Amino acid sequence: MPPALPAHTRPNRCIRVSAPGRLHLGFLDPSASLGRRFGSLGLVIDGFETVVELKRTDEPRMSADGAAAQAELGRAREHLADLQRATGSRTPVHLHLAQVLPAHAGFGSGTQLALAIGRAFAALHGLSLATAEIARLLGRGLRSGVGIAGFDHGGLLLDGGPGEDGTPAPLLARFDLPADWRVLLLLDPARRGLSGTDEKAALSALPPFAREDAAAVCHEVLMRVLPGAATADFASFAAGVSRVQQLVGSHFAPAQGGSGYASPAVSRACEWIAGHGTAATGQSSWGPTGFAILPCGIEAQALLDAARAAGVVDAALHTPIVAARNQGAVVDAGAPPP
């Protein structure tokens, strides 16, 4: 179910939507060896959010906090215009971007911005719009559905790939990740993942994903990743995620300079971690963000400290340790302004 709409929203109330970031852990079958393309495994994480605020006003207005949010104002303006055009609700509003996810870094920033604006718009105008419908109106979810499902539900997510008619991917499975498990993120601020026309060009230039590799990915997901999450069997989960990343990363390597990682610095750290502990390692989407999922925060910090001591963690990398988030977006009707 999508986040609940406020039961009553007075005209002077501000709607605040906080949408979590997600990691894209891999496609099931990007070349449609059985006729259905993509299919995705994803994980919603804590500590990274897009936060938007929307309220009625006398004159249309947009604002943002910080340079990163200001850079998203153009895209936000387009989303708002699309929503107004599609619904006929043209009441002047003030849209404020209080916080945004890192752009083109593997967190699903574009989808979460669109869905957060769409959900705030629907709540402000009393419109009953499902998240999948908002995504369709704003052109999101064309390949992966885990951002849409993550917005609604949080957790570990598996989708079945979008329909040929462009309908968003169906959610096939969802699990809470055990509360103790932690995600060590490796962010390279000097790199950006592929997006837009560059992403489309890269996808079209890749060779077909072998059917046997798609079968292997599906086997890993169905028999190691999901059961591992469901039964708190970390070793099985970690082995499955890491193998999925190896298979999918090898396929996308030609678009990333021959590597499964977009950032050499992230690659060096993740590969060292994979060889020195039991962890689920890989890159989210086109990166450059890498990850290592570990069974608890103590082990995550210890492995990070050991990697630093070994000299494999570049000083420029950001390395937060976060929890999985087993909850989707939060919609707050707020309080009337003074």
Side-chain angles (χ1 to χ4, degrees):
M1 296 292 292
L5 297 180
H8 298 286
T9 303
R10 283 186 235 154
N12 61 341
R13 282 190 181 268
C14 176
I15 306 297
R16 181 183 177 94
V17 179
S18 303
R22 61 94 181 109
L23 301 179
H24 193 280
L25 304 182
F27 286 122
L28 303 184
D29 188 359
S31 298
S33 63
L34 288 177
R36 192 173 187 97
R37 198 176 184 196
F38 297 120
S40 299
L41 181 69
L43 175 66
V44 178
I45 58 171
D46 229 341
F48 288 80
E49 289 184 319
T50 284
V51 180
V52 306
E53 298 170 344
L54 190 69
K55 61 184 178 182
R56 290 184 173 89
T57 187
D58 292 334
E59 297 289 337
R61 185 184 169 201
M62 301 192 72
S63 59
D65 291 334
Q70 289 172 5
E72 295 287 6
L73 283 174
R75 183 153 55 170
R77 185 176 290 106
E78 292 177 3
H79 290 330
L80 189 58
D82 288 342
L83 289 163
Q84 291 172 329
R85 185 164 46 250
T87 64
S89 300
R90 298 182 179 275
T91 303
V93 295
H94 176 192
L95 175 61
H96 179 68
L97 306 186
Q99 183 176 326
V100 295
L101 291 160
H104 310 304
F107 292 101
S109 62
T111 294
Q112 297 312 303
L113 177 66
L115 297 182
I117 292 172
R119 177 59 60 220
F121 185 90
L124 188 70
H125 294 88
L127 303 173
S128 182
L129 289 176
T131 305
E133 177 62 11
I134 294 171
R136 186 192 67 79
L137 290 174
L138 300 181
R140 308 308 303 183
L142 301 180
R143 282 178 286 277
S144 171
V146 294
I148 299 170
F151 183 90
D152 280 349
H153 307 290
L156 179 71
L157 306 152
L158 178 69
D159 77 59
E164 291 186 6
D165 61 354
T167 54
L171 178 62
L172 303 182
R174 183 215 168 268
F175 293 92
D176 283 356
L177 224 57
D180 289 342
W181 293 9
R182 289 294 181 269
V183 184
L184 166 61
L185 298 171
L186 298 111
L187 290 80
D188 185 345
R191 301 266 177 166
R192 290 168 70 89
L194 293 176
S195 64
T197 56
D198 291 338
E199 180 183 15
K200 292 178 182 177
L203 287 170
S204 64
L206 290 172
F209 192 59
R211 184 169 182 170
E212 57 267 29
D213 288 342
V217 168
C218 292
H219 196 184
E220 294 288 344
V221 170
L222 186 60
M223 299 309 295
R224 289 216 279 194
V225 176
L226 298 186
T231 64
D233 178 354
F234 181 78
S236 178
F237 172 87
V241 170
S242 296
R243 182 58 180 151
V244 168
Q245 282 283 315
Q246 290 167 1
L247 290 164
V248 177
S250 295
H251 175 67
F252 286 99
Q256 298 181 148
S259 171
Y261 291 88
S263 163
V266 170
S267 175
R268 184 165 56 253
C270 279
E271 289 176 359
W272 188 93
I273 289 170
H276 290 80
T278 300
T281 57
Q283 173 180 283
S284 177
S285 188
W286 289 106
T289 300
F291 63 85
I293 306 174
L294 292 127
C296 67
I298 293 174
E299 290 193 36
Q301 188 62 57
L303 202 52
L304 174 59
D305 291 343
R308 283 187 173 134
V312 298
V313 180
D314 191 289
L317 293 182
H318 298 165
T319 57
I321 297 172
V322 302
R325 174 163 161 161
N326 296 319
Q327 175 187 9
V330 175
V331 180
D332 182 1

